[in-house]
Amino acid sequence: MTIQMQNTKPGLTSLSDALEIAFADVPVRSSVEERSLVECYGAVLREDVIATVSVPSVDNSAMDGYALRHVDLMMAKGPIDVVGVSLAGHPYAGSLPTGAAIRIATGAAIPDGADCVVIQENVSANDDETIIEISDEVIGRTTLSQNIRWAGEDIKAGDVVLASGMFLRPQDIAIAAGQGRGALTVSKPLSIAVFSTGDELAKPGDPLPPGGIYDSNRFAMIGMLREIGCKVTDLGLLADDFDVLRNALGSAAKTHDVIMTSGGVSVGKADLLKPVVDQLGEITAWKLAIKPGKPLMRGKIGDCLVIGLPGNPVSVLVSGLLYVMPLLRHVMGAQRSQTEPVRIPVRAGFDFKRGTGRREWLRARLVQNDDGEFEAVAFNSTSSGMLSSMVWAEGLIEIPESCGQVSKGDTVLYLPLRGLQ
Ligand code: AMP
Ligand code: MG
């Protein structure tokens, strides 16, 4: 596969290229399992689900009322006899006699011969509902097929109701249930070992040594991974020590599909992750033309994919959501459309100047301006160390590599955080 490289900063790979390369490089996991339907929420479907039954299975009423023959109704003069009842699960046996009506409930089968339903609110009935009268005005606006749900109008037997490679949402599970499926073929969860690296880090719950900081990244990583249905092993904190890192990565690689770490992938003296992965396996990508998140590293140890995220908390989240989650979704067998974030064009409510040659994301929210229109506002700092900006944000504004500045009123792309997680 040849990949057309985008024009970006020398020495850095653009996000689009980096993802293309990674998709081509890292195989889709073939392992699938039959999983009981109720355990399938959020899983990646790995079969096409073909309808075996039409829905509805029979013509039925959309409303409570009276089933009639339209032509009879047009000619009706005076009261109409109600000769039977059709309830959901208890159809009227027989066909509708000429000039008569059948009392019918929502979801009940339309009796043979009937071709419209007049809702009960538009009918006057005697006490025991054996005789009804319908006004000329109601008759005048009753049409053929009114309030009838025809068999197969929702789903026809043979239709593909769910396509392989989609993440299953409640409505998808529901449609599979509607086809009588008790289990589905889905991807086995990826097993992922997670740890944070850094001598300055303390474990939440422990006392904070002078100059130390609590490890927050591990909790962001675990959350993102759980969100896409991964089986996470929390391996805690690792010191900036070559042997410690080598031992931990070496043994985690034997028992996991993926290792994900934070910190230690830059060019400082204590940034040891690269040399460790280099010794144990190979580095397959390093440094992306993105902001935040530039030093992100991808490598492998045997068959285990290694993702080294930078240490800054915003970098962890942004590069995690925009590079790692799409890649892991691909590895889980998701269709390409399901790996892409949702990008919505919106008006910018801010001015912004830049010149990094990298794709950049601003932490953002949509707010209503004085004219009542929604526009995106950006957080007042682009520092990748400020985790509070991600808590404030409801979305990200994507600034393309080639864009030098944004002025208030320009159209920009907004990526809702909910659509990324
Ligand atoms: P590094 O990439 O290891 O140089 O880390 C970059 C910055 O992120 C430093 O200021 C670190 O203290 C901070 N950092 C690294 N790891 C974590 C973590 N797990 N939680 C919070 N901050 C971190
Ligand atoms: Mg560090």
Side-chain angles (χ1 to χ4, degrees):
M1 179 178 174
T2 35
I3 289 156
Q4 200 66 41
M5 290 295 180
Q6 279 185 2
N7 222 353
T8 185
K9 234 183 158 181
L12 302 182
T13 316
S14 77
L15 178 72
S16 324
D17 292 341
L19 277 173
E20 284 303 329
I21 295 166
F23 287 167
D25 236 22
V26 187
V28 174
R29 270 175 58 106
S30 52
S31 45
V32 297
E33 63 188 14
E34 270 299 279
R35 198 181 299 168
S36 117
L37 201 58
V38 77
E39 302 300 330
C40 285
Y41 296 99
V44 181
L45 183 67
R46 294 293 290 276
E47 61 167 322
D48 286 339
V49 175
I50 317 278
T52 52
V53 290
S54 292
V55 181
S57 57
V58 294
D59 303 339
N60 69 88
S61 180
M63 302 292 277
D64 292 318
Y66 294 85
L68 300 119
R69 197 177 271 109
H70 188 251
V71 59
D72 293 352
L73 188 63
M74 292 301 113
M75 300 197 310
K77 290 186 185 60
I80 300 169
D81 286 336
V82 180
V83 298
V85 179
S86 181
L87 298 175
H90 303 280
Y92 175 74
S95 51
L96 176 70
T98 305
I102 301 284
R103 181 80 170 104
I104 194 160
T106 304
I110 301 292
D112 273 355
D115 53 18
C116 66
V117 171
V118 178
I119 64 170
Q120 63 192 30
E121 292 83 346
N122 288 344
V123 166
S124 21
N126 63 350
D127 282 349
D128 57 3
E129 296 182 344
T130 52
I131 299 170
I132 54 170
E133 277 190 80
I134 305 178
S135 69
D136 287 348
E137 191 262 322
V138 170
I139 291 174
R141 59 186 159 88
T142 301
T143 56
L144 194 66
S145 300
Q146 200 161 47
N147 298 318
I148 295 184
R149 301 191 284 216
W150 297 105
E153 76 174 20
D154 182 10
I155 299 163
K156 284 184 187 55
D159 286 354
V160 177
V161 288
L162 298 172
S164 181
M166 61 190 294
F167 276 86
L168 294 165
R169 305 162 299 171
Q171 57 268 47
D172 307 321
I173 305 285
I175 213 166
Q179 288 299 317
R181 293 291 301 265
L184 291 170
T185 307
V186 296
S187 291
K188 278 192 181 156
L190 289 178
S191 64
I192 307 200
V194 171
F195 43 79
S196 291
T197 70
D199 284 348
E200 75 280 35
L201 301 178
K203 209 169 122 237
D206 286 355
L208 190 65
I213 57 166
Y214 281 120
D215 167 24
S216 52
N217 290 346
R218 196 156 35 98
F219 300 87
M221 293 190 284
I222 291 172
M224 289 189 283
L225 294 170
R226 290 229 176 115
E227 204 66 50
I228 61 165
C230 297
K231 204 170 95 203
V232 176
T233 314
D234 179 1
L235 294 181
L237 297 175
L238 295 180
D240 290 318
D241 178 285
F242 191 91
D243 291 333
V244 168
L245 291 169
R246 193 190 49 201
N247 291 341
L249 266 78
S251 73
K254 293 194 187 102
T255 47
H256 293 87
D257 301 311
V258 182
I259 296 173
M260 191 164 160
T261 65
S262 93
V265 286
S266 240
V267 287
K269 254 180 75 175
D271 292 326
L272 298 167
L273 217 38
K274 271 190 66 217
V276 164
V277 175
D278 209 23
Q279 191 186 82
L280 291 170
E282 68 176 297
I283 309 277
T284 43
W286 184 50
K287 283 196 178 173
L288 302 185
I290 60 173
K291 185 171 188 266
K294 181 171 97 175
L296 193 146
M297 181 206 80
R298 175 169 66 86
K300 61 179 176 184
I301 301 172
D303 285 337
C304 179
L305 170 67
V306 182
I307 302 286
L309 295 179
N312 279 309
V314 180
S315 308
V316 166
L317 282 155
V318 171
S319 60
L321 293 171
L322 289 152
Y323 176 84
V324 186
M325 295 309 127
L327 175 56
L328 294 182
R329 287 186 150 113
H330 152 81
V331 175
M332 292 162 77
Q335 291 164 7
R336 182 58 79 87
S337 64
Q338 304 251 314
T339 63
E340 277 293 310
V342 176
R343 292 181 164 90
I344 304 167
V346 299
R347 267 194 203 304
F350 59 91
D351 294 309
F352 179 69
K353 259 202 164 55
R354 71 200 281 276
T356 58
R358 292 185 262 158
R359 196 180 301 187
E360 180 161 354
W361 294 275
L362 309 177
R363 281 75 90 185
R365 274 185 175 194
L366 294 181
V367 296
Q368 243 170 333
N369 64 19
D370 295 341
D371 301 327
E373 285 164 1
F374 279 95
E375 58 183 27
V377 291
F379 193 73
N380 60 13
S381 159
T382 58
S383 161
S384 57
M386 293 176 70
L387 193 50
S388 56
S389 65
M390 283 303 283
V391 173
W392 172 86
E394 289 162 357
L396 299 171
I397 294 292
E398 185 168 76
I399 314 280
E401 290 85 346
S402 54
C403 169
Q405 76 175 64
V406 174
S407 307
K408 206 169 159 52
D410 286 354
T411 300
V412 287
L413 290 178
Y414 180 77
L415 287 60
L417 283 177
R418 274 166 185 260
L420 292 170
Q421 286 162 335

